[in-house]
Amino acid sequence: MVLGEIVDFLENMAPPSLQESYDNSGLIVGNREWEIRAALIALDCTPSIVEEAQAKGCNLIIAHHPIVFSGLKKLNGKNYIERAVMAAIKNDIAIYAIHTNLDNVHTGVNAKMAARLGLINTHILQPKKGLLQKLVVFVPTSHVEVVLQSMFNAGAGHIGNYSECHFGLEGTGTFKAGDNTNPYVGEKGKRHAEREQRLECVVPNWLSKKVIQAMKAVHPYEEVAYDLYPLENEHPQVGAGMVGELESEMEVRDFLQLLKEKFNAKGIRYTEPHKATIKRVALCGGSGSFLLNNAIAAKADIFITADYKYHQFFDADGQIIIADIGHYESEQFTMELISDWLAKKFATFATHLTDLDTNPIRYL
């Protein structure tokens, strides 16, 4: 495999533009032209993970957490970050991180958590705004279907679980071709009127360039009239956290025991139950305390996440159960998610899940 092919696939599944501003997802070490023999998938990239990759013949590490968050000014091996990067470079091992962009897609980290618990009717807990655009293009009636299909194939027209969505309005467009033109219809120097359709589609902003290129490639006009408008709508399939329901209501203690088993948690820190049973569940992999109010607004009975501080537990305030299962514990099955994606896309490409436990926290 060529590294660029793997990167393109992962970035199609979780676009880098969806990562948070503080993040550093993407190709951290390596060249897109490198030939990749096999990949090692881990939650973290540490010096030990680099050693494991080398021992297993893997020259690519795909990690959830970026080994480099802020800029490296020196490479002296004084900390584990520098040592991991130095070892990767020395042994020609690429490092790719897929972090908060994977958190923010509806098929990502939180979907994997929800599946572990068997949740149904799931949706994003805090959808993101400002990620959608409206593409409007004017097309002669003879080419409406071919232009539409090309735009749909490039990713336009998705609204929630519906695809190929658009609005069309028929009217008349006019133009006068200049001397240095080659008009599809009409004559140079004469105003021409053509029956056209105004086509409107919703487009995610990270796909707008691709969709416009696809539209222009099949549009018959030499100069294509189109508009691109930013939208403030929430994107229903992009954002933080997830909320869903258990198929059957459970007693609180039974659910907490299930939670502990499903996530191999050594212990769960949780607040005083405000009710006897649990049906509606909100969750967020990693540090998700910022979503508590969203979980309450979604009428969840419990909010599952990690990295809660002592005083933050008081914010449950008798309205919800907060359950902290641990950062590593909440995200560990992300490795399986990435491996499954790659196996379905590249059937003959070798991937290995790490045998190492990179959780820096130990329990007595």
Side-chain angles (χ1 to χ4, degrees), residues 252-253 255-256 268-278 282 292 295-296 300-304 313 316 318-324:
V252 170
R253 184 161 290 277
F255 178 78
L256 290 173
I268 298 176
R269 299 188 301 153
Y270 65 97
T271 56
E272 182 70 23
H274 64 297
K275 56 185 297 189
T277 59
I278 290 174
L292 179 63
I296 293 172
D301 302 315
I302 189 168
F303 177 45
I304 303 161
F313 280 101
Q319 301 177 78
I320 196 170
I321 301 169
I322 296 172
D324 185 326

Side-chain angles (χ1 to χ4, degrees), residues 242-287:
M242 188 160 281
V243 61
E245 298 175 344
L246 296 169
E247 289 194 8
S248 301
E249 203 168 36
M250 294 183 68
E251 298 288 332
V252 170
R253 184 161 290 277
D254 290 340
F255 178 78
L256 290 173
Q257 186 60 41
L258 174 71
L259 181 62
K260 185 176 180 180
E261 292 171 0
K262 290 294 185 181
F263 288 90
N264 303 320
K266 302 297 188 296
I268 298 176
R269 299 188 301 153
Y270 65 97
T271 56
E272 182 70 23
H274 64 297
K275 56 185 297 189
T277 59
I278 290 174
K279 174 68 172 177
R280 194 161 173 79
V281 178
L283 52 82
C284 179
S287 305

